[in-house]
Amino acid sequence: MKDHPLHGRDFLKLLDFSSEEIMGLIDLASELKKKKKAGIPHAVYQGRNLALIFEKTSTRTRCAFEVAAHDLGMGTTYLNPKDSQIGKKESIRDTARVLSGMFDGIEYRGFGQEIVEELAKYSDVPVFNGLTNEFHPTQMLADLLTVKEHFGRLSGIRFAYLGDARYNTGNSLMVACAKMGLHFTIVAPEKYHPDKALQDTCREIAASTGGSITLTEDVREGTKDADVISTDVWVSMGEPDEIWEERIRDLSPYRVDKAVMDNASPEAIFLHCLPSFHDLGTGIGREIHEKYGLNEMEVTDEVFESPASLVFEEAENRMHTIKAVLYAML
């Protein structure tokens, strides 16, 4: 098999890739998805193995990496927080060198971006970012594929994100939209806006791709005629429970409801990286209901279950896009 142009690269953040390289991964994911749906085998990496380091647990990311690797013929070894000694009894540098002697690739899902960057620095095999506090690049490929499948294009799409935009999802959506020429709007209180330096970087990128970056606290202004409405949970994994009250107070006006969707384009879609607190079907949802009387948080059940909601197509696309990344870089 001929090497892919991205062979041997790490996948740490979309800032490391050109617009053309990102589109290449999206197109590859689309091809692999068609093969999967048609039942065409593509186990091109028989005998290779992938290490999956999960300092933060996950449903979609773990399943997506494991199924993608299996479809490509690879074996996987899952290391949860109890199994891995990374950063505790063994340095990140040493972990990278040990695992790259046994595996053909290393995935990391956990805390600071500096951890996955250090893993990549000392690893002899490609390293893949499954999520850090700052960036979530595999989710972005899934989101972009979902948008492209629905609208047939990425360039010029108006994409609005409501809620806390300071961390991995908000940061990465801003980068992804800038790279691919979308018009990206963050709709949130100013204190929940991304880092100013990253904003400036993304504006510079967007200027070269035909996209734009807008920040506003006005929900109606920010979602007017949007093609895509997106949000995320109000409290991220690993944050203390005591901040729920503050987030509910600050972000409840930014809940995605029918009024928001009605203000968007008539053909607008809704995206969410999941899990979502749109009903009382979760332990956290029931706990918040008991404490604060809320039945829904970042999105209403009406929107989540509506025809505009493509959240489960988006979730499936995690696997197809992760498979493309593995296929290309291994």
Side-chain angles (χ1 to χ4, degrees):
M1 184 178 69
K2 184 180 178 181
D3 283 345
H4 190 276
L6 296 181
H7 172 74
R9 293 272 297 274
D10 299 308
F11 191 70
L12 308 181
K13 57 187 183 299
L14 290 189
L15 285 169
D16 299 333
F17 295 85
S18 69
S19 303
E20 293 75 20
E21 289 169 336
I22 295 169
M23 185 58 79
L25 288 170
I26 294 168
D27 290 342
L28 176 57
S30 183
E31 292 175 25
L32 292 170
K33 183 175 182 176
K34 290 175 184 175
K35 288 185 177 182
K36 174 85 169 177
K37 299 293 186 183
I40 300 172
H42 42 283
V44 295
Y45 289 149
Q46 292 283 352
R48 297 200 190 188
N49 292 281
L50 181 68
L52 303 173
I53 303 172
F54 277 71
E55 292 194 301
K56 289 184 179 180
T57 57
S58 167
T59 300
R60 281 152 302 282
T61 301
R62 178 181 176 180
C63 291
F65 267 101
E66 289 190 340
V67 174
H70 181 269
D71 284 355
L72 292 173
M74 301 177 68
T76 58
T77 298
Y78 175 74
L79 300 171
N80 66 30
K82 295 179 181 178
D83 295 332
S84 171
Q85 299 298 337
I86 183 170
K88 297 187 281 286
K89 293 184 179 179
E90 187 166 61
S91 69
I92 296 166
R93 178 188 305 190
D94 290 354
T95 299
R97 291 184 287 189
V98 168
L99 294 182
S100 61
M102 300 180 185
F103 293 91
D104 300 280
I106 302 167
E107 179 272 350
Y108 172 83
R109 178 184 174 93
F111 298 96
Q113 180 71 15
E114 70 277 2
I115 298 175
V116 76
E117 298 277 353
E118 188 172 359
L119 275 172
K121 180 178 179 180
Y122 291 101
S123 172
D124 293 328
V125 298
V127 172
F128 310 102
N129 180 1
L131 174 141
T132 62
N133 293 340
E134 293 83 2
F135 294 109
H136 198 358
T138 61
Q139 180 67 53
M140 296 308 104
L141 291 184
D143 289 5
L144 291 171
L145 176 59
T146 307
V147 172
K148 188 171 185 291
E149 286 177 333
H150 186 78
F151 293 104
R153 63 188 174 92
L154 291 174
S155 180
I157 290 292
R158 294 159 296 187
F159 194 119
Y161 174 82
L162 284 74
D164 191 346
R166 297 172 296 173
Y167 303 119
N168 44 52
T169 300
N171 287 344
S172 296
L173 280 173
M174 186 167 62
V175 171
C177 290
K179 285 279 186 179
M180 305 313 293
L182 285 76
H183 299 295
F184 183 61
T185 301
I186 290 171
V187 188
E190 185 175 358
K191 70 190 239 185
Y192 293 98
H193 290 176
D195 175 73
K196 181 64 165 56
L198 185 60
Q199 289 181 40
D200 292 342
T201 297
C202 289
R203 284 196 173 94
E204 185 176 341
I205 294 169
S208 68
T209 63
S212 64
I213 306 296
T214 303
L215 288 82
T216 181
E217 297 188 32
D218 189 310
V219 174
R220 284 194 60 81
E221 176 187 321
T223 60
K224 180 66 174 173
D225 296 328
D227 300 302
V228 183
I229 299 291
S230 177
T231 190
D232 196 4
V233 294
W234 291 341
V235 175
S236 299
M237 191 182 304
E239 292 190 282
D241 289 344
E242 54 265 26
I243 66 176
W244 270 110
E245 184 173 357
E246 177 188 12
R247 296 290 169 81
I248 288 169
R249 181 182 66 249
D250 291 346
L251 297 176
S252 286
Y254 298 88
R255 175 184 291 115
V256 178
D257 58 15
K258 186 176 185 298
V260 167
M261 297 304 296
D262 287 346
N263 190 52
S265 164
E267 305 301 321
I269 62 173
F270 172 72
L271 298 181
H272 191 306
C273 63
L274 303 181
S276 169
F277 301 128
H278 59 96
D279 57 18
L280 301 181
T282 64
I284 291 177
R286 290 188 292 272
E287 182 180 333
I288 295 301
H289 173 73
E290 291 171 5
K291 286 185 177 179
Y292 304 106
L294 294 180
N295 294 330
E296 305 156 315
M297 282 183 268
E298 74 279 2
V299 58
T300 63
D301 194 58
E302 180 181 22
V303 170
F304 189 89
E305 297 292 354
S306 73
S309 177
L310 299 187
V311 297
F312 297 111
E313 292 88 338
E314 178 188 10
E316 179 190 331
N317 281 339
R318 291 293 305 285
M319 186 269 289
H320 302 299
T321 48
I322 283 171
K323 189 188 298 182
V325 169
L326 296 177
Y327 185 104
M329 295 170 194
L330 296 179

